[in-house]
Amino acid sequence: MWQAESIFLGASRKPDDSYQGPEELLLKYGNRHGLVTGATGTGKTVTLQILAEGFSDAGVPVFCADIKGDVAGLAKAGEPKDFLAKRAEAIQLADYQFKEFPVVFWDLFGEQGHPIRATVSEMGPLLLSRLLNLTEAQEGVVNIAFKLADEEGMLLLDMKDMQSMLASMAERASELSGRYGNITKASVGAIQRALLVLEGQGGDHFFGEPALRISDLMRTSRDGRGAINVLAADRLMMNPRLYATFLLWLMSELFEELPEIGDPDKPKLVFFFDEAHLLFADAPKVLVERVEQVVRLIRSKGVGVYFVTQNPLDVPETVLAQLGNRVQHALRAYTPREQKAVKTAAETFRPNPDFDCADAITQLGTGEALVSTLAEKGVPSMVQRTLIRPPSSRLGPLTPDERRQVIAQSPVAGQYDTTVDRESAYEMLAKQADAKARAEEDQRAREAAQKEEAARGRWTLPDMNGDGRERAPAKPRASNRQTVAEAAMKSVVRSVGSSVGRALVRGILGSLKKGF
Ligand SMILES: Nc1ncnc2c1ncn2[C@@H]1O[C@H](COP(=O)(O)OP(=O)(O)OP(=O)(O)O)[C@@H](O)[C@H]1O
Ligand SMILES: [Mg+2]
């Protein structure tokens, strides 16, 4: 089968605006990451759309978030329009076809796509603390909660598990502080409140099981095209922290789960990080460093990460330096900050003697961009003024009916739709508390019986051959119940195999390392 080696992005133009030549993204450098920037309405989403189409056609699965609902158009064929035909002609796109792409819809809230879930344990203490916007001291307590859960064989799957783990820690604070360091009631309380807030914002939909299997994002359709996974993010964007943490988690899961493959002919998966500024906005330094590290290392696992944002200044320099394929749409340059952004953006390109980069950035039309990709030997190509190709799929959203249809026909239909609530920390702690309460009750009963007996003991009965046995205090039943709880715990430990019951191994961003 003939395999394309590149994705057609559009055509560059000469200084007199006439056709110059095709601009392409080489698939073998698709994992060298990318950046799509530009002011609102300049064509970023369409660029994302044609990149996703190109990767899918090349058999590369894609993951992207859909913030305004227009990315969903990938699931339907576009309709012929004059302006599209005109552009196709201008860039000499001979066989411009309209077609739909194999889209799988996902939604953290389970409304506009298959629910996407992760367990608290998979998310790990670092990202959870970031998600909850915790202080350092509170983060310390979260770390202890994870450690304790690991040691005691408690599964942290959903938010109730985390809540009850914290409640139990607060109760045992003095005992635990000796072992792990200070656990104040104030810190625990603050974390519990933050969890409640997150729950109110829909976080309870996200944490739980069945958790997402990464392989489900990496499907190809029967005709060899890569699945385009579209995450509904309109509602999610109301909680930008959840949005950013989720994408970060997903990226780190990909990193932890996928094997090292060196430099592939084409990426294994391409991950678009839209509204990327949210990832870095007021992120602590360690987090930015870890992200930088993941972005650098994920390349050799065949994953390309493409950041989409308005302003190149939104992305830290260390990350920016790693983004090899660039599409810069128009920027405005009215305020000093805007002028600085234009200057920075211009300076990141390999200059073209035909035009001044900074001037060009402010003059680009809609769907037009400065493009530089990695060429042979991984050297950035000279920047070109490029008219981006029109998409083959629909420009704009799907109707609710169309979306329902796509969801019903999805390869993961039914797989994630119902929540499973298996026994985890919440249930186990509840059982333990129950057992403890019963043990205490039994103890009280025993003491009462003993007292009674002692009172009765003031009188002596004649020993009538073993009759005294009847007065022996009732055997405490607590131990029996405790055994039930213990057995349950053991069975859970068994059912999750090696992942609980000994310390878990966590990766760069604190998500679980798999395959141990
Ligand atoms: N490559 C293209 N070919 C044809 N039309 C395009 C192209 N790029 C952009 N357009 C036109 O411009 C419109 C706006 O583009 P787009 O939605 O991609 O902007 P945006 O940068 O994503 O804006 P926002 O920041 O508001 O999301 C499109 O709806 C489409 O009509
Ligand atoms: Mg857009």
Side-chain angles (χ1 to χ4, degrees), residues 41 44-46 68 70 274:
K44 292 186 302 298
T45 300
V46 177
K68 292 186 183 159
D70 45 359
D274 205 346

Side-chain angles (χ1 to χ4, degrees), residues 453 456 461-475:
E453 183 150 317
R456 238 186 281 140
L461 272 180
D463 189 358
M464 315 248 314
N465 285 334
D467 217 8
R469 256 183 306 165
E470 273 178 26
R471 294 196 308 272
K475 215 172 167 226

Side-chain angles (χ1 to χ4, degrees), residues 251-265:
M251 198 162 83
S252 77
E253 283 292 298
L254 287 168
F255 175 72
E256 302 300 344
E257 283 212 12
L258 298 180
E260 200 80 24
I261 54 164
D263 274 322
D265 295 342

Side-chain angles (χ1 to χ4, degrees), residues 12 24 100 121 124 127 132-133 153 161 194 198 203 206 215 219 255 294 339 370 377 383 397 409 463 466 488:
S12 51
E24 293 174 325
E100 57 181 51
S121 180
L127 290 181
L132 298 174
N133 200 18
D161 291 333
L198 179 63
F206 173 57
S215 54
R219 290 171 183 269
F255 175 72
V294 171
Q339 284 157 9
L370 293 188
K377 302 210 172 78
V383 63
Q409 291 162 2
D463 189 358

